[in-house]
Amino acid sequence: MSKLRVVRDAEIPPHVHGHWMAEGAGLAGLLVLALPVHRTFTPWGLLSGAMFMASNVATFPAIKSLGLAAACAVWSATAVLASLAWALLGAGDRLRSPALAAAAVLLLLAGMLGVCAAQASVPVLPVGSRCHGDEEAGAGPPAQEPLLPPGAAASDDVADCTKSEASLGGPAEPAAPLPRAAGALAAVAAGLVGGLVLAPMSHLPRVCQGLAYMPSMGMGVLLAAPLVTLARTRPADMFVKAQSPAAIWPGVVAGTVWGVGNAAAAAAAADPRVGLALAYPIMQGLGIAVAAVWGVVAFGELPGRGPRRAMAAADAAIVAGVVLLVRAKGAAP
């Protein structure tokens, strides 16, 4: 949703779009209250919501330092490893074939890294970091504008967009990027915390897991999101200037979609035949694959046969990894 023209034309800063996405994710959790299923409110769910926001915050310095593709590759791989490690060591999940699981994880990681590498070959500016005066001057459509590499000096484009973010109350970003080591640590932190976002659920009885857990997690997100956003935005500007339809509905829709997917992953993780060992790695891997295909189909990304073939091969590796991971779980009790 952040790639929609209405969002780009309005020059919505990333943290504002992220705020409304978090609101959508929180609302999706509360939608479970309308379903005829068991529900529970627990502090563990509030912790999961706060962890989701912490992971989201860590992505900003990671992207700023490493660039979108490299940061995405690092935090996605870390999330898969973290969730699988917790499932086996903390939640007590068991695998029928550890060797097959290891091969599956390698395929998943290779596929996710491949998707990010294909996207890096024709990068785009992240939402809110582009101003459209250059497009009017003939710089070309947004999907074709190259992303500034980490460490590049600030250009007039960056300076203009920094002013745009500052006008919405966000702090003026410094021209110099963060050190790459700091960006890498932020990406690892985003993946580590994001991969463990459902880990607190394993402390609850089975009846309180899955969909029953979602209202508490949704409440945690809704409580944490304004605090995180206000830390980067002046209150008056956040609640006046940032409340445009271009900021709200794309973010809320994107967050709701993510929340529904997260609820499905939680329901799967609560099933002992699936568990967290399968649920979250599959969600992470297939999520990246679907997002890449959606970018090509809906937004015409990755022009040319080479990048698209590389992405297709990476998606095939992800699907193969999912199949192997399911077989590795097998009939383990």
Side-chain angles (χ1 to χ4, degrees):
M1 300 300 292
S2 65
K3 299 177 182 178
L4 294 176
R5 178 169 291 276
V6 65
V7 178
R8 301 184 66 89
D9 287 347
E11 298 175 3
I12 304 301
H15 68 280
V16 172
H17 178 78
H19 168 81
W20 293 115
M21 180 178 174
E23 295 289 340
L27 292 175
L30 295 183
L31 290 177
V32 175
L33 295 174
L35 301 178
V37 297
H38 177 76
R39 300 177 295 273
T40 185
F41 283 95
T42 169
W44 291 115
L46 300 179
L47 176 60
S48 287
M51 291 173 65
F52 166 78
M53 286 306 304
S55 176
N56 185 38
V57 168
T59 63
F60 289 108
I63 294 173
K64 180 177 178 61
S65 175
L66 303 179
L68 179 59
C72 178
V74 172
W75 76 57
S76 298
T78 305
V80 167
L81 295 176
S83 61
L84 186 58
W86 172 260
L88 299 178
L89 303 177
D93 279 7
R94 299 180 63 184
L95 298 172
R96 184 181 65 179
S97 173
L100 202 60
V105 170
L106 289 177
L107 279 173
L108 282 172
L109 296 180
M112 290 188 294
L113 293 175
V115 168
C116 294
Q119 291 175 331
S121 65
V122 187
V124 296
L125 280 171
V127 59
S129 63
R130 181 185 190 278
C131 291
H132 290 266
D134 297 326
E135 182 180 354
E136 295 172 358
Q144 305 298 323
E145 183 173 343
L147 184 68
L148 282 175
S155 64
D156 293 338
D157 298 343
V158 176
D160 291 342
C161 293
T162 298
K163 295 176 184 177
S164 174
E165 181 169 343
S167 69
L168 280 169
E173 299 289 347
L178 294 173
R180 291 184 64 82
L185 286 176
V188 169
L192 185 63
V193 178
L196 297 177
V197 73
L198 292 178
M201 186 178 70
S202 61
H203 294 288
L204 298 174
R206 187 76 63 181
V207 69
C208 297
Q209 298 183 17
L211 292 180
Y213 188 74
M214 289 298 100
S216 296
M217 182 174 175
M219 185 63 68
V221 175
L222 291 175
L223 290 174
L227 299 178
V228 170
T229 306
L230 289 175
R232 290 178 52 89
T233 312
R234 290 193 299 270
D237 289 328
M238 178 60 209
F239 292 108
V240 176
K241 296 182 181 180
Q243 290 200 32
S244 68
I248 298 175
W249 75 261
V252 171
V253 170
T256 301
V257 171
W258 183 92
V260 171
N262 185 63
D271 187 337
R273 295 169 298 179
V274 180
L276 195 59
L278 291 186
Y280 211 81
I282 289 176
M283 175 187 175
Q284 190 74 25
L286 291 183
I288 288 181
V290 171
V293 173
W294 178 251
V296 171
V297 173
F299 298 101
E301 295 179 350
L302 303 182
R305 293 183 179 180
R308 293 192 176 187
R309 286 176 178 173
M311 189 200 70
D315 284 350
I318 290 174
V319 173
V322 168
V323 172
L324 284 184
L325 194 57
V326 172
R327 291 181 61 86
K329 177 74 172 179

